[in-house]
Amino acid sequence: MTYGMNNRKLTLSTLFLALCLSNTVLADEASPSVQTKVLNGQNASALAENLLPWQAAILTKPNFRDNVISGCGAVIISEHWVVTAAHCAEAAANLSDTLVAGLTYIPQGKNKDLTAEYQFTIEQKILHEGYKASTSGTKSINAGDVDHDIALMRVQESLITVGKPIKIATAEEQNQANTQFINTWNATGYSIGNLIASGWGDVAPSFKPSNELQVVKLGGIPMSQCNSSYVTTSNSHFVCADSNNPAIKKDVCAGDSGGPLIWQNPNKAGDADLGLRVIGVTSNGPNCRFKNAGYLASQSNGLYTELASYRDWIETKTGLTLDNIATSDFSHDPFKVVREDEHVSTGGSSGGSVPLAALLGLVLTGLLRRRC
């Protein structure tokens, strides 16, 4: 996660650059890029213990040095099921069958240090049938290719031994959130931070995966005002979000794909789960490094797969009845402890030098936000 201010615009051509510059092409490249990382976020563990008990991560397969890192995020929705992005479940993602939950600290490259009780075996992966995009880098991303960027994963062991499921927003709640976005979004000034994203993706200034779970507060953007490089279709179901203050850049980055986007139902804030709902999973957006450096082509908003539109699909594939899942008891309200950034002091540029090859990529679209 990184903080930054700019808009990013996708130009609908996929490039090898998007796949190689980040571990995750679907959540953070210079064009429609889906990379997962948090820009200008905070360490979740420093804010409260067990602040985000629904958060999970999918580990990568070992590289040539036998190192393993968190490749994508996921969100716990029941005892054995998590939701993530489809581009995190396809073969090109090169992710393992190990899911991690119940932790805020993941020693990147040293997965052998993880206690067994926090590791879960993924026994089933279900990609949405309508998902087309591939992160293999061999095809262009066309309009509609990243639609239905959602997948389900079932683990063998019980997730509630270390984590807690979060409710998926209903269609009514999504409409309520959309109305809130219309009433609160200010593209040129401060907006109320009404969404929270999190993950172990790349962080500035190194743009390497974080050991500590990062969390960042964002502003929801009406789709009619969304500045996205990805060309949507009538089959697109996304939530649009970005920094809630143009004076500071905030976003998710490579490695954060599939992680949760949280909204709070104000009418349910008094419930045991504080009215917290997962309304999306990280799908695609601009390259975080370029966005943070201020390149205009990378100042677009981020897109998150809207989960309310897939409730029926989720129930059909999992056999779950979402309304019957027991309400979790959450100890902390992240909207009260995560930084709002209503007032920020601006200094010099936080950007550094960018290689020529990367500059050339600014005319391309880097879409997905997972790690290559």
Side-chain angles (χ1 to χ4, degrees), residues 108-140:
Q108 305 293 347
K110 301 178 182 178
N111 70 306
K112 294 179 181 178
D113 294 343
L114 289 174
T115 305
E117 67 176 307
Y118 300 109
Q119 298 188 56
F120 300 83
T121 303
I122 300 170
E123 61 180 7
Q124 185 178 9
K125 297 180 182 180
I126 304 174
L127 281 74
H128 194 282
E129 303 80 5
Y131 178 73
K132 302 176 186 176
S134 170
T135 53
S136 63
T138 60
K139 67 186 284 282
S140 296

Side-chain angles (χ1 to χ4, degrees), residues 222-347:
M223 286 304 298
S224 61
Q225 300 178 46
C226 188
N227 172 26
S228 169
S229 302
Y230 174 66
V231 180
T232 58
T233 71
S234 59
N235 293 318
S236 300
H237 302 288
F238 291 106
V239 177
C240 184
D242 210 327
S243 175
N244 63 315
N245 189 331
I248 187 170
K249 299 182 191 302
K250 298 193 286 186
D251 206 346
V252 292
C253 306
D256 292 325
S257 286
L261 184 69
I262 306 300
W263 173 78
Q264 186 172 43
N265 183 340
N267 300 326
K268 302 289 185 178
D271 291 356
D273 66 356
L274 308 176
L276 298 173
R277 303 288 184 265
V278 56
I279 68 169
V281 291
T282 301
S283 176
N284 65 87
N287 179 300
C288 277
R289 180 188 293 271
F290 294 161
K291 183 171 186 174
N292 195 48
Y295 292 104
L296 293 179
S298 296
Q299 300 309 307
S300 57
N301 309 135
L303 291 180
Y304 302 76
T305 302
E306 182 199 285
L307 297 186
S309 297
Y310 296 96
R311 283 177 62 96
D312 289 346
W313 179 80
I314 291 171
E315 290 187 331
T316 298
K317 296 300 181 180
T318 62
L320 297 171
T321 300
L322 294 177
D323 288 339
N324 291 345
I325 296 176
T327 300
S328 295
D329 186 356
F330 297 140
S331 302
H332 305 285
D333 182 350
F335 286 94
K336 290 184 178 180
V337 298
V338 177
R339 190 171 54 220
E340 179 73 11
D341 292 313
E342 180 176 359
H343 304 288
V344 297
S345 57
T346 58

Side-chain angles (χ1 to χ4, degrees), residues 19-357:
L19 292 169
C20 299
L21 287 182
S22 83
N23 269 357
T24 241
V25 160
L26 290 177
D28 173 278
E29 274 315 301
S31 339
S33 134
V34 181
Q35 296 181 4
T36 35
K37 81 182 169 192
V38 175
L39 181 65
N40 283 320
Q42 298 170 270
N43 289 350
S45 61
L47 301 177
E49 183 178 0
N50 205 23
L51 179 64
L52 311 171
W54 51 79
Q55 179 79 49
I58 308 164
L59 299 181
T60 62
K61 294 178 180 178
N63 64 11
F64 67 97
R65 292 178 178 172
D66 201 32
N67 289 335
V68 171
I69 61 175
S70 57
C72 272
V75 56
I76 301 171
I77 61 167
S78 76
E79 184 175 7
H80 292 279
W81 288 96
V82 300
V83 177
T84 186
H87 69 267
C88 292
E90 60 182 351
N94 197 39
L95 299 184
S96 71
D97 291 327
T98 300
L99 181 110
V100 174
L103 293 173
T104 58
Y105 182 81
I106 296 179
Q108 305 293 347
K110 301 178 182 178
N111 70 306
K112 294 179 181 178
D113 294 343
L114 289 174
T115 305
E117 67 176 307
Y118 300 109
Q119 298 188 56
F120 300 83
T121 303
I122 300 170
E123 61 180 7
Q124 185 178 9
K125 297 180 182 180
I126 304 174
L127 281 74
H128 194 282
E129 303 80 5
Y131 178 73
K132 302 176 186 176
S134 170
T135 53
S136 63
T138 60
K139 67 186 284 282
S140 296
I141 300 294
N142 300 307
D145 278 356
V146 187
D147 289 354
H148 312 300
D149 189 13
I150 180 174
L152 296 161
M153 295 185 181
R154 191 183 196 282
V155 299
Q156 292 179 359
E157 306 85 355
S158 172
L159 288 162
I160 60 176
T161 58
V162 298
K164 296 181 180 181
I166 186 170
K167 290 182 181 294
I168 295 174
T170 63
E172 180 181 358
E173 288 176 320
Q174 185 60 57
N175 288 335
Q176 186 178 354
N178 291 340
T179 299
Q180 184 185 81
F181 300 160
I182 292 172
N183 294 332
T184 60
W185 176 249
N186 178 6
T188 60
Y190 164 75
S191 303
I192 293 174
N194 45 27
L195 294 172
I196 283 178
S198 53
W200 287 273
D202 295 350
V203 293
S206 66
F207 293 94
K208 294 181 179 180
S210 173
N211 292 327
E212 290 284 350
L213 175 61
Q214 298 291 294
V215 60
V216 67
K217 190 177 287 185
L218 305 171
I221 304 173
M223 286 304 298
S224 61
Q225 300 178 46
C226 188
N227 172 26
S228 169
S229 302
Y230 174 66
V231 180
T232 58
T233 71
S234 59
N235 293 318
S236 300
H237 302 288
F238 291 106
V239 177
C240 184
D242 210 327
S243 175
N244 63 315
N245 189 331
I248 187 170
K249 299 182 191 302
K250 298 193 286 186
D251 206 346
V252 292
C253 306
D256 292 325
S257 286
L261 184 69
I262 306 300
W263 173 78
Q264 186 172 43
N265 183 340
N267 300 326
K268 302 289 185 178
D271 291 356
D273 66 356
L274 308 176
L276 298 173
R277 303 288 184 265
V278 56
I279 68 169
V281 291
T282 301
S283 176
N284 65 87
N287 179 300
C288 277
R289 180 188 293 271
F290 294 161
K291 183 171 186 174
N292 195 48
Y295 292 104
L296 293 179
S298 296
Q299 300 309 307
S300 57
N301 309 135
L303 291 180
Y304 302 76
T305 302
E306 182 199 285
L307 297 186
S309 297
Y310 296 96
R311 283 177 62 96
D312 289 346
W313 179 80
I314 291 171
E315 290 187 331
T316 298
K317 296 300 181 180
T318 62
L320 297 171
T321 300
L322 294 177
D323 288 339
N324 291 345
I325 296 176
T327 300
S328 295
D329 186 356
F330 297 140
S331 302
H332 305 285
D333 182 350
F335 286 94
K336 290 184 178 180
V337 298
V338 177
R339 190 171 54 220
E340 179 73 11
D341 292 313
E342 180 176 359
H343 304 288
V344 297
S345 57
T346 58
S349 170
S350 60
S353 61
V354 177
L356 176 60

